[in-house]
Amino acid sequence: MSGSEPAAWLPAARGRATPAIGPALQELTDWVFFSPESGRIWFDKQRALLIHASTFGMLRREILQALGTDRGRALIERVGYAHGKRDAELVRARWPVEQRPPRWSAGPRLHMLEGFVNVTPLRYELGPRGLEAEYLWADSVEADEHVAAFGQSREPVCWMLCAYAAGYAETTHGLCVEVEEVECRAAGHDHCRVIARPASRTGPARAPRRATEQGLMTRPAARDVTAIVGASAPLMAARRMLEQVAATDASVLLRGESGVGKELFATNLHRLSRRREKPFLAVNCAAIPEELVEAELFGVERGAFTGATASRAGRFERANGGTLFLDEIGLMSMTAQAKLLRVLQEQEIERVGGSRGIRIDVRVVAATNVDLWDEVQARRFRRDLFFRLNVFPIDLPPLRARRDDIPLLIERFLALYAELHGKPIRGLSKAALDALLDYDYPGNVRELQNLIERGVICAEQDGRIDKAHIFRHGELLARPGFFLATNGRLRASGAEAPSTPAPLPSLPELERQACAAAFEASHGNVSNAARQLGITRATLEYRLRKWGLRKPRRAPTAQVE
Ligand SMILES: [Zn+2]
């Protein structure tokens, strides 16, 4: 069943010029990870999609019809360019020590793996004048879909594919490369033929593509520890609410599990507000002993109680003009709640043991990881204070609800801790990355941060962080995922379970299940089922009879395929 397909897939096996070194197909497929339980496919650290070629064709057609050929083509090229650039970044991150030709040869392989086109390299030279290369493209999905949508074209139409090649080549070589399609199947040629050369003879699409490409690739600055990292939809929604309320003086209540980054949000709220030049103070209400909360928040007058030998300003006074962040507000005592309420109502505090009111102008941002309304119902939290604080609630998503941000956060923390501990790290091993992508993070971003710091500390200098460096206390739970095998079919991931290994069916059992499923799906048509499984009709017939899934026939071999 497995046959010799893998070798035939390798462009280098047929190419005359490109050496068959560098990341081979199997190394590249190892980075495709199917995680159906979380509704995701990962391509290295990027979420990927499996969509029908016809859906891609429809999208392309609608773009061209809506925007017209010129603008539509420019958009398609920008998307293709960004795609090639991302793939090149992936290869560069995974195979950093590789020389240029092997890395370059991974581009066509990725393009094939992703299902866009079948590439045969014809020529590849990287000389003093720059890059010169020539490729033959068979079965371009873009050519096929263009013909399906618009009929045969007079000009080459594999715009997205060419832009991909340009994005990949430019990112890999750091040179300006022009990719021109000189023959195209959509224009009636047998193949598409593509030439890459130094971009001195620049095409017209170059300038706008570069300008907009900047916009596509913006990322938060890696060094800014106070930036909120992530681009997932739930995070963007929370961030948008934060931006909306920042300019006002409204009380904000941040709700979310422990470790989701409530203080980070509060800091950002402060930075976006007109109070940004004034102090930002954070208080964890759970960390202060109950009898000291009032003194801590509102200050003490000398002699107020034994040990109060000097007057002292509380956090409210010290945060004057700025923002006070009250974390774990649900754990504040009823007495402190009453005082806090009065401060919020009157904009005035009174120190413990003091008799005069002190005017203050402080914006309060509160945070809770318990449901405050439940606390109100249970009479542990004042109802009036709840309504004071809950003017503008923002829910911060747990990390498992924003899994798409995990790779960005990993990158951020790696850079942060490598610098902090003065220890260059080459990244993560594949097993470590898979485990991190699949983990549930009960402790949220803070837990991920701790795991990465642990990894940086445990890994070798200039080495990669391995799974064993990160998960050392049984945090990891086995969840089923799937990789692409060389025969193109999915194989279950070898996710080790720390205590109870998930029972995997044996290979013969898997085979039996596959045959039975195909047989059933083809409503008992053995020829169809065999075609689906990629085996001969006679083989399937034999197996079905062996397993008793099909009654013996008198002359099975007499039937014509
Ligand atoms: Zn073409």
Side-chain angles (χ1 to χ4, degrees):
M1 260 212 280
S2 53
S4 59
E5 288 154 279
W9 274 22
L10 282 170
R14 279 171 292 150
R16 282 179 297 187
T18 309
I21 42 175
L25 186 69
Q26 182 58 53
E27 288 176 86
L28 295 171
T29 58
D30 276 350
W31 292 95
V32 183
F33 183 65
F34 289 79
S35 179
E37 294 236 323
S38 69
R40 278 169 175 74
I41 301 170
W42 292 99
F43 190 43
D44 193 24
K45 287 185 278 181
Q46 307 258 348
R47 187 175 180 173
L49 291 179
L50 197 58
I51 63 165
H52 302 278
S54 56
T55 311
F56 160 75
M58 179 184 163
L59 183 66
R60 189 179 177 280
R61 188 192 72 218
E62 299 259 350
I63 287 171
L64 291 168
Q65 283 171 344
L67 298 181
T69 307
D70 289 347
R71 287 180 57 213
R73 174 179 174 171
L75 190 153
I76 290 167
E77 284 179 338
R78 285 200 299 276
V79 174
Y81 185 92
H83 180 196
K85 183 176 163 126
R86 283 188 185 200
D87 275 359
E89 286 167 345
L90 179 157
V91 171
R92 186 161 57 189
R94 285 295 145 218
W95 292 275
V97 292
E98 299 282 9
Q99 296 305 302
R100 276 168 178 170
R103 261 208 225 141
W104 164 248
S105 69
R109 279 178 210 164
L110 278 172
H111 223 178
M112 291 171 78
L113 174 64
E114 290 165 7
F116 283 94
V117 67
N118 187 355
V119 187
T120 304
L122 298 177
R123 184 162 61 84
Y124 174 90
E125 286 161 47
L126 187 64
R129 289 190 305 133
L131 172 76
E132 305 241 7
E134 187 174 348
Y135 293 89
L136 216 53
W137 284 353
D139 302 326
S140 151
V141 71
E142 195 170 11
D144 282 357
E145 292 303 327
H146 188 95
V147 172
F150 302 105
Q152 190 165 321
S153 162
R154 269 179 291 171
E155 297 169 359
V157 299
C158 298
W159 302 321
M160 191 170 169
L161 270 53
C162 284
Y164 172 96
Y168 188 91
E170 293 196 356
T171 311
T172 301
H173 295 289
L175 301 166
C176 285
V177 178
E178 176 188 305
V179 177
E180 191 190 353
E181 188 176 24
V182 291
E183 292 175 13
C184 183
R185 210 153 65 98
H189 298 103
D190 289 342
H191 291 90
C192 302
R193 183 182 297 271
V194 181
I195 293 175
R197 57 171 90 90
S200 46
R201 291 160 275 178
T202 303
R206 168 139 263 98
R209 177 200 294 160
R210 290 200 154 273
T212 329
E213 193 252 329
Q214 292 292 321
L216 281 172
M217 304 298 289
T218 46
R219 288 269 176 99
R223 294 278 176 271
D224 182 4
V225 262
T226 53
I228 298 169
V229 175
S232 65
L235 186 79
M236 297 304 272
R239 186 146 60 183
R240 209 164 298 126
M241 290 184 78
L242 192 82
E243 286 163 5
Q244 281 172 349
V245 76
T248 73
D249 260 343
S251 295
V252 173
L253 181 64
L254 301 172
R255 305 187 297 204
E257 295 174 13
S258 287
V260 292
K262 293 191 279 280
E263 184 165 346
L264 186 67
F265 265 78
T267 317
N268 276 272
L269 180 72
H270 175 71
R271 281 205 314 192
L272 291 169
S273 75
R274 62 175 177 81
R275 298 168 178 270
R276 69 181 76 90
E277 304 297 333
K278 302 285 185 175
F280 171 87
L281 259 72
V283 183
N284 187 334
C285 301
I288 307 170
E290 195 183 319
E291 62 275 18
L292 295 182
V293 169
E294 289 174 53
E296 196 59 38
L297 290 180
F298 310 117
V300 201
E301 284 298 353
R302 186 178 162 191
F305 50 79
T306 325
T309 51
S311 295
R312 185 161 58 85
R315 308 267 181 136
F316 266 99
E317 273 179 79
R318 286 192 273 150
N320 204 8
T323 307
L324 183 63
F325 173 58
L326 299 174
D327 201 0
E328 305 209 43
I329 189 98
L331 296 173
M332 199 178 244
S333 71
M334 287 305 257
T335 331
Q337 287 180 31
K339 283 215 165 190
L340 176 61
L341 178 69
R342 219 179 55 232
V343 172
L344 294 176
Q345 283 168 339
E346 292 164 17
Q347 306 284 303
E348 203 174 273
I349 57 147
E350 212 168 86
R351 289 181 179 173
V352 177
S355 53
R356 64 183 178 100
I358 303 169
R359 294 294 303 170
I360 46 127
D361 167 29
V362 171
R363 180 189 203 172
V364 169
V365 178
T368 178
N369 53 18
V370 296
D371 189 329
L372 269 195
W373 185 243
D374 282 353
E375 296 298 295
V376 171
Q377 303 289 332
R379 299 184 183 280
R380 284 190 296 263
F381 201 84
R382 293 181 66 110
R383 194 187 176 90
D384 41 13
L385 180 59
F386 172 82
F387 287 114
R388 271 273 163 187
L389 295 172
N390 197 41
V391 176
F392 198 89
I394 302 179
D395 287 314
L396 306 185
L399 187 51
R400 62 186 170 280
R402 42 177 285 222
R403 305 196 83 94
D404 296 352
D405 294 335
I406 296 173
L408 290 174
L409 289 162
I410 291 175
E411 253 172 58
R412 145 67 73 84
F413 295 139
L414 265 182
L416 181 71
Y417 289 113
E419 192 175 306
L420 191 72
H421 297 291
K423 192 169 178 184
I425 294 289
R426 278 176 57 219
L428 294 152
S429 77
K430 179 174 151 38
L433 181 67
D434 288 346
L436 286 171
L437 291 178
D438 228 28
Y439 183 56
D440 261 340
Y441 299 99
N444 291 299
V445 179
R446 192 184 300 142
E447 185 178 15
L448 173 61
Q449 185 167 1
N450 293 343
L451 290 174
I452 299 293
E453 182 169 21
R454 189 194 289 175
V456 169
I457 291 168
C458 296
E460 302 276 321
Q461 178 114 1
D462 288 315
R464 284 189 203 281
I465 297 176
D466 197 21
K467 197 165 109 182
H469 297 137
I470 298 177
F471 293 100
R472 299 196 302 175
H473 303 288
E475 297 96 332
L476 195 54
L477 302 167
R479 302 210 316 173
F482 299 90
F483 294 103
L484 268 183
T486 31
N487 64 5
R489 306 215 186 275
L490 294 183
R491 67 181 155 85
S493 70
E496 311 93 299
S499 47
T500 50
L504 277 178
S506 67
L507 210 54
E509 173 56 21
L510 277 177
E511 196 180 51
R512 196 191 68 80
Q513 285 173 9
C515 290
F519 186 52
E520 198 185 346
S522 353
H523 307 289
N525 185 322
V526 184
S527 298
N528 277 349
R531 216 169 294 131
Q532 277 181 40
L533 292 162
I535 58 179
T536 66
R537 187 188 186 288
T539 308
L540 181 61
E541 179 89 38
Y542 168 78
R543 291 181 188 183
L544 290 174
R545 276 190 276 119
K546 187 175 81 179
W547 293 316
L549 294 169
R550 189 166 160 81
K551 293 270 176 323
R553 292 173 59 113
R554 259 153 287 143
T557 46
Q559 199 147 345
V560 183
E561 285 281 309

